[in-house]
Amino acid sequence: MTSDLPVGYEISSEPSRLDGARIHRWLSEDSYWALGRSRQKQDLAIANSLNFGVYDEVSGVQVGYARVVTDHTTFAWLCDVYIEPAVRGKGVGTALVAAVRDHLAPFGLRRTLLATADAHEVYARIGFAPMQAPEKWMVLGEQ
């Protein structure tokens, strides 16, 4: 999906390749944003989203994940981006987010949003920037 992906990895948006148990373990046990998320809730999130997996080309094992909630017309929310710890620092996460960006580009979305507490530099490399007017935005629910 992207030429910037390090050798030995591939990105796919094919739902049948996703390892739901692995994704659930990563997010519910190791991420700061989805700790304790139930498997049922994670499976529903996957089923109702556009999903991307990163896979080791030799073993086929999934080593990364990203999920997009979108109407494919005006808006997208990039979330649940996770790269297996042993693979971090190789450019896989940046390539994954770039692949998501490139996949969404033909839709001509007005905006794609995300929230991060610790990976601003990863997202900035592929074009994300802080909101110009965050005072216009509101949230209902957990902050």
Side-chain angles (χ1 to χ4, degrees):
M1 259 184 171
T2 179
S3 60
D4 296 332
L5 187 63
V7 173
Y9 300 97
E10 62 181 323
I11 296 173
S12 174
S13 60
E14 174 55 48
S16 66
R17 294 191 67 186
L18 296 170
D19 184 337
R22 191 176 193 85
I23 294 166
H24 176 254
R25 187 178 72 252
W26 286 338
L27 298 178
S28 69
E29 296 177 11
D30 192 41
S31 74
Y32 64 83
W33 65 90
L35 289 176
R37 183 182 290 168
S38 73
R39 175 68 192 265
Q40 179 184 18
K41 194 168 277 227
Q42 184 60 53
D43 287 348
L44 284 170
I46 290 170
N48 292 304
S49 300
L50 173 61
N51 301 277
F52 296 82
V54 182
Y55 304 90
D56 180 284
E57 285 183 327
V58 175
S59 67
V61 171
Q62 187 171 353
V63 298
Y65 176 70
R67 183 168 73 86
V68 179
V69 179
T70 183
D71 62 8
H72 292 96
T73 305
T74 62
F75 179 83
W77 175 266
L78 173 61
C79 54
D80 289 346
V81 178
Y82 187 92
I83 302 297
E84 180 122 321
V87 178
R88 293 178 189 164
K90 298 179 180 182
V92 173
T94 301
L96 173 58
V97 176
V100 171
R101 176 201 61 204
D102 296 348
H103 183 93
L104 295 174
F107 298 116
L109 304 175
R110 182 170 181 193
R111 69 178 49 93
T112 300
L113 295 176
L114 64 85
T116 184
D118 62 354
H120 294 82
E121 69 286 345
V122 171
Y123 298 107
R125 278 186 227 132
I126 56 108
F128 282 87
M131 282 187 174
Q132 292 294 315
E135 68 278 2
K136 291 182 179 180
W137 293 85
M138 297 180 72
V139 64
L140 176 65
E142 190 175 322
Q143 293 189 44

